[in-house]
Amino acid sequence: PNILVEIFSTNIGNELAGRVGTGPMARSATMIWRQVYVRFVASSTSVEVIMTAVGGSGNIDNFAIDDMELRACPVRIGAAD
């Protein structure tokens, strides 16, 4: 599957704060750990994380989530990043 991860600021009208796609991930008989991250500016005190399997083959696309973490970035990210 290809997983689309979207971050919405829920306090200000569900504004999209960040988005990243994993790209196609091959099916495997064993679990393969893959790190995915998205940077966003938290413009509200509450966010919603939505993960959607997109572009599938029509079959059920199963995926597991382990160790989800939200944390403050140690440096300010400029507009060029």
Side-chain angles (χ1 to χ4, degrees), residues 20-33:
V20 68
T22 63
M25 294 186 287
R27 294 187 185 274
S28 175
T30 60
M31 293 286 204
I32 298 172
W33 189 85

Side-chain angles (χ1 to χ4, degrees), residues 9-75:
S9 296
T10 58
N11 289 5
I12 53 174
N14 289 332
E15 175 183 284
L16 180 64
R19 172 187 285 160
V20 68
T22 63
M25 294 186 287
R27 294 187 185 274
S28 175
T30 60
M31 293 286 204
I32 298 172
W33 189 85
R34 182 171 175 183
Q35 183 177 9
V36 176
Y37 67 91
V38 58
R39 292 180 181 173
F40 65 96
V41 175
S43 55
S44 80
T45 58
S46 179
V47 298
E48 186 173 277
V49 179
I50 298 177
M51 296 180 202
T52 308
V54 295
S57 61
N59 296 326
I60 296 174
D61 289 321
N62 295 324
F63 60 94
I65 301 167
D66 184 30
D67 294 334
M68 178 182 277
E69 180 179 352
L70 296 176
R71 61 182 165 161
C73 186
V75 295

